[in-house]
Amino acid sequence: MQGAPLSRASMLPALPPSPSMCLAVFRETPLVSQDDLSWLLKEVPRWSLSGDGRELRRSFVARNFQAALAFLNAAGEVAEAEGHHPDFHLTNYRNVEMVVSTHAAGGLTHFDFVLAAKLDQVPVEYSPKWLRENPQPE
């Protein structure tokens, strides 16, 4: 997919609809090319690339334990509907981290970016202090 960068809205409809979208991910699923990686990362600005370039990561501090659990439960529903399951980590009772990759393919596929975009739509009750220090993109 080379050419002009696409917006998130135009990227999502180009892929198969849920819930079977990610169910057909196999080892043959192509990894995201280096050319596509740069513009895809711009589409999910809350996420960062892992050091080895094989995962997307997002972390934040929730307002409290209940807010963290509410987010993780809702995010889990999204992941289950997609048939694509990220690693969720909850530490210090409210620090949330999500890690997305396509394990079967050995790295990042377009499905990972679609899931990241959908997880970004899940409401989060952030810690006020963390939110002041880390303003979130619209």
Side-chain angles (χ1 to χ4, degrees):
M1 284 193 188
Q2 291 182 341
L6 301 175
S7 69
R8 182 180 301 163
S10 63
M11 177 182 73
L12 295 177
L15 296 168
S18 302
S20 62
M21 177 168 63
C22 293
L23 295 176
V25 176
F26 298 104
R27 289 189 180 126
E28 296 82 25
T29 301
L31 296 176
V32 171
S33 71
Q34 288 299 314
D35 290 339
D36 287 350
L37 188 59
S38 61
W39 72 263
L40 284 167
L41 283 168
K42 291 176 186 171
E43 296 298 318
V44 289
R46 295 176 178 155
W47 296 78
S48 61
L49 192 61
S50 65
D52 65 4
R54 301 175 107 189
E55 301 170 333
L56 291 175
R57 294 178 174 269
R58 178 180 170 204
S59 60
F60 60 86
V61 179
R63 182 176 200 95
N64 53 37
F65 181 70
Q66 287 138 337
L69 283 181
F71 171 81
L72 289 172
N73 284 325
E77 293 287 330
V78 171
E80 188 64 22
E82 292 298 307
H84 193 31
H85 305 99
D87 294 335
F88 292 138
H89 305 275
L90 175 60
T91 57
N92 291 329
Y93 79 90
R94 62 186 187 144
N95 296 341
V96 175
E97 181 183 30
M98 296 179 289
V99 181
V100 175
S101 70
T102 302
H103 301 286
L108 290 171
T109 67
H110 286 275
F111 295 117
D112 299 308
F113 289 89
V114 170
L115 180 60
K118 289 186 177 193
L119 291 172
D120 281 348
Q121 300 305 309
V122 176
V124 178
E125 191 178 351
Y126 295 103
S127 156
K129 178 182 177 190
W130 185 87
L131 192 54
R132 278 192 306 275
E133 295 170 357
N134 301 276
Q136 295 300 289
E138 293 298 320

